Amino acid sequence: MNILIIENEIYLAQKVVSRLLDDGHSCDYIESPNIDNLTKDYDTVLLSTSLPSSLCKSIIKKYCDSSIILLLVSYISDETVTNPIKDGAKDYIMKPFIMDELVRKIYHYKECRSMRRELQTLREYFNFTMEDVDTSDVLLPSSFPTLIETNSQKCADKLVFELSKRVDLPICFISLTSTNWLKEINSISGKVIIYLTNYHSLKKNMKEQLHKIIEDKNCVISSLELEEDFPFRKIEFNDEKILLGNANIMTINDYVKMMVISYQNKYPDTELSKKLGISRKSLWEKRKKLDIEKKK
């Protein structure tokens, strides 16, 4: 990281610079800065509030949008802590301080900034990929467990994310095509939304087993088929535009691969090949050609 230290206590500043250089950072030290001469960009600014408050305010204003600003304070007051933090500084550390504690704060706020940037990127990407899914006419699940019958996984995904935001609970994702789905469900503790996908891939006896497991859990399930025997609340959410969009047209091989992976655990090969309109020999050849592992 590029770090700027603004501190008029020379001995303290030298100790900070020495430690940060040992950790592999690039450091600039200024005892009494001229705001007009501060032209470089920094990841972190360590700012002593022993400087005049007007100068501190100008420095914070200059760097608060691009840098992590940590205050080095001799005493706590509105002038040294409260007002600078309101202006954009992140935190403070009292002098004299343990050097390891200063380094810990630097890394903590660096990680927080990275996580916020990553979260913002993921949020923007999610909104971008889901912008064609209109949920305005669909009621979010009001109770658990709930099944979403849909013709597109994206529709169910968007509903579950919106539900997570409304009830302020995290989501635990489990695919029912996984060989360990039962173990994964039983291992979950705490208040979360359990989101189970590919319900349509289960055989009837496994669905009945699942019903008993989830009856008292915050569980949302998605299926790409109509489910007549589901004993709890159901929501139907189909979006024909998604299926008709050019971006969702698959090749025949991609379609066959998706269907085989999704349904081979539910149907025997004789029935699966019949539903696909191909012979059992062709199904075997497709598995080999498309590198599909047959589950046992």
Side-chain angles (χ1 to χ4, degrees):
M1 282 191 289
N2 293 323
I3 300 176
L4 173 63
I5 299 98
I6 304 175
E7 172 59 68
N8 53 12
E9 296 181 34
I10 299 176
Y11 177 71
L12 173 61
Q14 288 175 340
K15 285 183 61 178
V16 172
V17 169
S18 177
R19 172 58 190 275
L20 295 176
L21 288 175
D22 287 343
D23 282 1
H25 302 293
S26 175
C27 298
D28 288 337
Y29 161 57
I30 302 174
E31 183 178 349
S32 182
N34 182 334
I35 192 70
D36 294 330
N37 293 333
L38 297 176
T39 58
K40 288 179 61 176
D41 294 327
Y42 295 96
D43 299 302
T44 300
V45 176
L46 305 179
L47 175 61
S48 172
T49 54
S50 298
L51 298 172
S53 59
S54 59
L55 180 56
C56 288
K57 186 178 183 71
S58 297
I59 293 170
I60 292 171
K61 182 178 180 181
K62 180 178 180 64
Y63 286 109
C64 65
D65 292 333
S66 58
S67 306
I68 300 165
I69 302 174
L70 299 178
L71 307 171
L72 311 179
V73 305
S74 300
Y75 60 93
I76 297 175
S77 68
D78 287 346
E79 188 176 279
T80 61
V81 174
T82 306
N83 294 336
I85 287 179
K86 286 181 180 178
D87 291 334
K90 292 298 182 186
D91 202 351
Y92 70 93
I93 187 167
M94 284 283 294
K95 302 175 188 178
F97 48 79
I98 299 173
M99 205 61 63
D100 284 346
E101 178 63 12
L102 174 63
V103 172
R104 185 196 68 79
K105 282 181 179 285
I106 291 173
Y107 282 117
H108 169 73
Y109 283 101
K110 178 180 181 290
E111 183 179 4
C112 287
R113 182 175 62 179
S114 296
M115 291 178 64
R116 282 196 301 270
R117 288 174 175 171
E118 182 179 1
L119 179 60
Q120 181 62 28
T121 300
L122 292 173
R123 183 180 290 116
E124 290 176 358
Y125 177 73
F126 178 80
N127 292 336
F128 171 75
T129 58
M130 293 290 178
E131 64 182 356
D132 58 345
V133 180
D134 182 9
T135 61
S136 58
D137 294 329
V138 183
L139 292 177
L140 292 177
S142 57
S143 61
F144 299 102
T146 294
L147 173 73
I148 302 173
E149 293 177 343
T150 182
N151 58 9
S152 171
Q153 189 61 52
K154 283 177 65 175
C155 292
D157 291 348
K158 188 167 185 179
L159 276 185
V160 173
F161 273 91
E162 290 183 355
L163 175 64
S164 169
K165 185 176 181 180
R166 189 186 73 181
V167 299
D168 193 25
L169 288 176
I171 306 171
C172 180
F173 301 87
I174 299 175
S175 171
L176 294 173
T177 59
S178 167
T179 55
N180 297 319
W181 64 262
L182 182 58
K183 183 178 179 180
E184 291 179 55
I185 295 174
N186 288 328
S187 68
I188 295 173
S189 60
K191 295 197 68 176
V192 299
I193 295 174
I194 304 172
Y195 182 29
L196 306 177
T197 61
N198 299 301
Y199 177 76
H200 53 271
S201 68
L202 295 181
K203 294 180 180 179
K204 184 177 181 180
N205 64 319
M206 295 307 296
K207 288 181 178 179
E208 292 173 349
Q209 182 178 352
L210 177 64
H211 298 162
K212 296 177 182 178
I213 296 170
I214 66 170
E215 60 183 351
D216 60 347
K217 297 183 182 298
N218 296 337
C219 188
V220 178
I221 307 165
S222 68
S223 176
L224 300 180
E225 291 184 351
L226 295 178
E227 305 291 347
E228 299 294 341
D229 299 324
F230 188 74
F232 307 109
R233 175 185 170 87
K234 292 197 297 183
I235 294 175
E236 184 178 336
F237 181 26
N238 296 312
D239 192 336
E240 297 301 328
K241 293 181 296 184
I242 292 177
L243 294 183
L244 295 175
N246 289 335
N248 292 277
I249 295 177
M250 294 188 293
T251 65
I252 292 175
N253 280 339
D254 285 341
Y255 174 78
V256 171
K257 184 173 184 177
M258 181 186 72
M259 290 296 103
V260 172
I261 291 173
S262 297
Y263 292 102
Q264 66 179 353
N265 199 39
K266 180 177 181 180
Y267 301 113
D269 282 359
T270 303
E271 189 172 353
L272 181 59
S273 60
K274 186 182 298 184
K275 287 180 177 294
L276 291 172
I278 58 178
S279 65
R280 286 190 65 188
K281 181 180 178 182
S282 294
L283 177 58
W284 180 83
E285 291 172 345
K286 289 288 186 185
R287 277 202 179 98
K288 186 176 181 181
K289 179 180 178 181
L290 301 175
D291 194 26
I292 303 172
E293 181 179 354
K294 184 176 181 180
K295 296 184 179 180
K296 297 179 181 180

